[in-house]
mmCIF file of all heavy atoms in Angstrom:
data_model
loop_
_atom_site.group_PDB
_atom_site.id
_atom_site.type_symbol
_atom_site.label_atom_id
_atom_site.label_comp_id
_atom_site.label_asym_id
_atom_site.label_seq_id
_atom_site.Cartn_x
_atom_site.Cartn_y
_atom_site.Cartn_z
ATOM 1 N N THR A 114 103.821 101.355 93.663
ATOM 2 C CA THR A 114 104.912 100.399 93.809
ATOM 3 C C THR A 114 106.125 101.155 94.348
ATOM 4 O O THR A 114 106.173 102.383 94.309
ATOM 5 C CB THR A 114 105.279 99.755 92.461
ATOM 6 O OG1 THR A 114 105.797 100.764 91.587
ATOM 7 C CG2 THR A 114 104.075 99.074 91.817
ATOM 8 N N ASP A 115 107.107 100.410 94.835
ATOM 9 C CA ASP A 115 108.326 101.044 95.341
ATOM 10 C C ASP A 115 109.035 101.819 94.236
ATOM 11 O O ASP A 115 109.570 102.899 94.469
ATOM 12 C CB ASP A 115 109.278 99.992 95.926
ATOM 13 C CG ASP A 115 108.754 99.378 97.211
ATOM 14 O OD1 ASP A 115 107.881 100.007 97.850
ATOM 15 O OD2 ASP A 115 109.207 98.278 97.579
ATOM 16 N N LYS A 116 109.025 101.274 93.032
ATOM 17 C CA LYS A 116 109.682 101.937 91.908
ATOM 18 C C LYS A 116 108.973 103.244 91.558
ATOM 19 O O LYS A 116 109.617 104.257 91.275
ATOM 20 C CB LYS A 116 109.717 101.004 90.705
ATOM 21 C CG LYS A 116 110.584 101.486 89.586
ATOM 22 C CD LYS A 116 110.785 100.418 88.543
ATOM 23 C CE LYS A 116 111.789 100.893 87.515
ATOM 24 N NZ LYS A 116 112.120 99.871 86.544
ATOM 25 N N GLU A 117 107.636 103.235 91.584
ATOM 26 C CA GLU A 117 106.881 104.461 91.300
ATOM 27 C C GLU A 117 107.152 105.524 92.368
ATOM 28 O O GLU A 117 107.377 106.694 92.044
ATOM 29 C CB GLU A 117 105.379 104.152 91.228
ATOM 30 C CG GLU A 117 104.990 103.354 90.017
ATOM 31 C CD GLU A 117 103.597 102.769 90.091
ATOM 32 O OE1 GLU A 117 103.002 102.711 91.194
ATOM 33 O OE2 GLU A 117 103.084 102.346 89.044
ATOM 34 N N LEU A 118 107.163 105.104 93.621
ATOM 35 C CA LEU A 118 107.448 106.042 94.708
ATOM 36 C C LEU A 118 108.841 106.628 94.550
ATOM 37 O O LEU A 118 109.047 107.835 94.689
ATOM 38 C CB LEU A 118 107.295 105.353 96.064
ATOM 39 C CG LEU A 118 107.597 106.198 97.295
ATOM 40 C CD1 LEU A 118 106.699 107.431 97.350
ATOM 41 C CD2 LEU A 118 107.448 105.361 98.554
ATOM 42 N N GLY A 119 109.804 105.781 94.230
ATOM 43 C CA GLY A 119 111.168 106.244 94.025
ATOM 44 C C GLY A 119 111.280 107.243 92.890
ATOM 45 O O GLY A 119 112.016 108.228 92.987
ATOM 46 N N SER A 120 110.525 107.032 91.822
ATOM 47 C CA SER A 120 110.593 107.961 90.691
ATOM 48 C C SER A 120 110.030 109.328 91.058
ATOM 49 O O SER A 120 110.492 110.349 90.549
ATOM 50 C CB SER A 120 109.863 107.385 89.473
ATOM 51 O OG SER A 120 108.473 107.337 89.681
ATOM 52 N N LEU A 121 109.061 109.367 91.958
ATOM 53 C CA LEU A 121 108.498 110.646 92.398
ATOM 54 C C LEU A 121 109.383 111.331 93.432
ATOM 55 O O LEU A 121 109.380 112.552 93.553
ATOM 56 C CB LEU A 121 107.097 110.446 92.961
ATOM 57 C CG LEU A 121 106.042 109.986 91.959
ATOM 58 C CD1 LEU A 121 104.745 109.680 92.671
ATOM 59 C CD2 LEU A 121 105.839 111.017 90.874
ATOM 60 N N GLN A 122 110.128 110.552 94.186
ATOM 61 C CA GLN A 122 111.006 111.110 95.205
ATOM 62 C C GLN A 122 112.372 111.495 94.638
ATOM 63 O O GLN A 122 113.187 112.058 95.333
ATOM 64 C CB GLN A 122 111.200 110.104 96.345
ATOM 65 C CG GLN A 122 109.957 109.889 97.160
ATOM 66 C CD GLN A 122 110.133 108.803 98.199
ATOM 67 O OE1 GLN A 122 110.912 107.864 98.025
ATOM 68 N NE2 GLN A 122 109.395 108.914 99.297
ATOM 69 N N GLY A 123 112.602 111.155 93.378
ATOM 70 C CA GLY A 123 113.874 111.491 92.758
ATOM 71 C C GLY A 123 114.966 110.496 93.067
ATOM 72 O O GLY A 123 116.147 110.812 92.962
ATOM 73 N N ALA A 124 114.589 109.285 93.444
ATOM 74 C CA ALA A 124 115.580 108.268 93.762
ATOM 75 C C ALA A 124 116.294 107.823 92.493
ATOM 76 O O ALA A 124 115.723 107.813 91.417
ATOM 77 C CB ALA A 124 114.914 107.064 94.418
ATOM 78 N N THR A 125 117.554 107.470 92.647
ATOM 79 C CA THR A 125 118.314 106.914 91.541
ATOM 80 C C THR A 125 118.653 105.482 91.880
ATOM 81 O O THR A 125 118.492 105.044 93.016
ATOM 82 C CB THR A 125 119.617 107.716 91.312
ATOM 83 O OG1 THR A 125 120.376 107.684 92.520
ATOM 84 C CG2 THR A 125 119.316 109.154 90.928
ATOM 85 N N GLU A 126 119.119 104.762 90.897
ATOM 86 C CA GLU A 126 119.482 103.372 91.123
ATOM 87 C C GLU A 126 120.687 103.306 92.052
ATOM 88 O O GLU A 126 121.720 103.905 91.780
ATOM 89 C CB GLU A 126 119.805 102.688 89.794
ATOM 90 C CG GLU A 126 118.615 102.597 88.850
ATOM 91 C CD GLU A 126 117.524 101.703 89.382
ATOM 92 O OE1 GLU A 126 117.833 100.663 89.998
ATOM 93 O OE2 GLU A 126 116.350 102.040 89.173
ATOM 94 N N GLY A 127 120.563 102.626 93.152
ATOM 95 C CA GLY A 127 121.676 102.438 94.077
ATOM 96 C C GLY A 127 121.915 103.644 94.968
ATOM 97 O O GLY A 127 121.635 104.773 94.609
ATOM 98 N N ALA A 128 122.473 103.399 96.121
ATOM 99 C CA ALA A 128 122.740 104.468 97.071
ATOM 100 C C ALA A 128 124.086 105.131 96.822
ATOM 101 O O ALA A 128 124.294 106.275 97.173
ATOM 102 C CB ALA A 128 122.703 103.915 98.490
ATOM 103 N N PHE A 129 125.040 104.410 96.225
ATOM 104 C CA PHE A 129 126.366 104.952 95.984
ATOM 105 C C PHE A 129 127.022 104.122 94.896
ATOM 106 O O PHE A 129 126.503 103.096 94.476
ATOM 107 C CB PHE A 129 127.204 104.931 97.262
ATOM 108 C CG PHE A 129 127.350 103.560 97.858
ATOM 109 C CD1 PHE A 129 128.398 102.733 97.488
ATOM 110 C CD2 PHE A 129 126.424 103.098 98.780
ATOM 111 C CE1 PHE A 129 128.521 101.471 98.029
ATOM 112 C CE2 PHE A 129 126.551 101.833 99.334
ATOM 113 C CZ PHE A 129 127.605 101.018 98.949
ATOM 114 N N SER A 130 128.176 104.552 94.455
ATOM 115 C CA SER A 130 128.930 103.768 93.482
ATOM 116 C C SER A 130 130.377 103.667 93.941
ATOM 117 O O SER A 130 130.865 104.514 94.693
ATOM 118 C CB SER A 130 128.857 104.406 92.095
ATOM 119 O OG SER A 130 129.484 105.656 92.108
ATOM 120 N N ILE A 131 131.042 102.651 93.491
ATOM 121 C CA ILE A 131 132.436 102.424 93.856
ATOM 122 C C ILE A 131 133.243 102.365 92.568
ATOM 123 O O ILE A 131 132.921 101.605 91.660
ATOM 124 C CB ILE A 131 132.614 101.107 94.636
ATOM 125 C CG1 ILE A 131 131.805 101.152 95.930
ATOM 126 C CG2 ILE A 131 134.084 100.827 94.908
ATOM 127 C CD1 ILE A 131 131.779 99.844 96.679
ATOM 128 N N ASN A 132 134.285 103.168 92.498
ATOM 129 C CA ASN A 132 135.169 103.164 91.350
ATOM 130 C C ASN A 132 136.359 102.271 91.686
ATOM 131 O O ASN A 132 137.101 102.543 92.625
ATOM 132 C CB ASN A 132 135.628 104.587 91.029
ATOM 133 C CG ASN A 132 136.340 104.655 89.711
ATOM 134 O OD1 ASN A 132 136.849 103.653 89.203
ATOM 135 N ND2 ASN A 132 136.374 105.846 89.145
ATOM 136 N N LEU A 133 136.524 101.192 90.929
ATOM 137 C CA LEU A 133 137.592 100.234 91.227
ATOM 138 C C LEU A 133 138.903 100.574 90.538
ATOM 139 O O LEU A 133 139.884 99.857 90.683
ATOM 140 C CB LEU A 133 137.141 98.830 90.823
ATOM 141 C CG LEU A 133 135.918 98.317 91.584
ATOM 142 C CD1 LEU A 133 135.494 96.964 91.062
ATOM 143 C CD2 LEU A 133 136.187 98.247 93.067
ATOM 144 N N ILE A 134 138.937 101.663 89.785
ATOM 145 C CA ILE A 134 140.177 102.083 89.140
ATOM 146 C C ILE A 134 141.027 102.818 90.179
ATOM 147 O O ILE A 134 140.558 103.770 90.810
ATOM 148 C CB ILE A 134 139.884 102.991 87.934
ATOM 149 C CG1 ILE A 134 139.017 102.249 86.921
ATOM 150 C CG2 ILE A 134 141.183 103.477 87.297
ATOM 151 C CD1 ILE A 134 138.535 103.115 85.781
ATOM 152 N N PRO A 135 142.276 102.403 90.369
ATOM 153 C CA PRO A 135 143.120 103.069 91.369
ATOM 154 C C PRO A 135 143.285 104.552 91.044
ATOM 155 O O PRO A 135 143.346 104.941 89.882
ATOM 156 C CB PRO A 135 144.462 102.342 91.266
ATOM 157 C CG PRO A 135 144.196 101.103 90.496
ATOM 158 C CD PRO A 135 142.970 101.316 89.698
ATOM 159 N N THR A 136 143.396 105.357 92.073
ATOM 160 C CA THR A 136 143.522 106.807 91.868
ATOM 161 C C THR A 136 144.843 107.168 91.199
ATOM 162 O O THR A 136 144.982 108.246 90.639
ATOM 163 C CB THR A 136 143.407 107.558 93.203
ATOM 164 O OG1 THR A 136 144.391 107.052 94.096
ATOM 165 C CG2 THR A 136 142.019 107.415 93.790
ATOM 166 N N THR A 137 145.806 106.271 91.225
ATOM 167 C CA THR A 137 147.090 106.523 90.565
ATOM 168 C C THR A 137 147.037 106.228 89.069
ATOM 169 O O THR A 137 147.958 106.557 88.340
ATOM 170 C CB THR A 137 148.193 105.664 91.211
ATOM 171 O OG1 THR A 137 147.804 104.297 91.146
ATOM 172 C CG2 THR A 137 148.426 106.086 92.650
ATOM 173 N N SER A 138 145.968 105.613 88.620
ATOM 174 C CA SER A 138 145.839 105.258 87.207
ATOM 175 C C SER A 138 145.473 106.479 86.366
ATOM 176 O O SER A 138 144.676 107.316 86.788
ATOM 177 C CB SER A 138 144.741 104.200 87.038
ATOM 178 O OG SER A 138 144.423 104.034 85.676
ATOM 179 N N PRO A 139 146.041 106.562 85.157
ATOM 180 C CA PRO A 139 145.659 107.666 84.275
ATOM 181 C C PRO A 139 144.210 107.534 83.793
ATOM 182 O O PRO A 139 143.646 108.478 83.240
ATOM 183 C CB PRO A 139 146.649 107.564 83.118
ATOM 184 C CG PRO A 139 147.155 106.174 83.147
ATOM 185 C CD PRO A 139 147.070 105.722 84.580
ATOM 186 N N PHE A 140 143.577 106.392 84.009
ATOM 187 C CA PHE A 140 142.199 106.177 83.584
ATOM 188 C C PHE A 140 141.181 106.530 84.660
ATOM 189 O O PHE A 140 139.981 106.460 84.442
ATOM 190 C CB PHE A 140 142.003 104.714 83.138
ATOM 191 C CG PHE A 140 142.859 104.363 81.968
ATOM 192 C CD1 PHE A 140 144.033 103.655 82.132
ATOM 193 C CD2 PHE A 140 142.493 104.760 80.691
ATOM 194 C CE1 PHE A 140 144.822 103.335 81.053
ATOM 195 C CE2 PHE A 140 143.281 104.443 79.602
ATOM 196 C CZ PHE A 140 144.452 103.736 79.774
#
Side-chain angles (χ1 to χ4, degrees):
T114 65
D115 291 340
K116 191 169 186 175
E117 290 166 344
L118 178 59
S120 69
L121 294 174
Q122 291 175 331
T125 58
E126 296 294 322
F129 58 90
S130 65
I131 299 173
N132 190 339
L133 298 176
I134 301 173
T136 56
T137 56
S138 169
F140 298 101

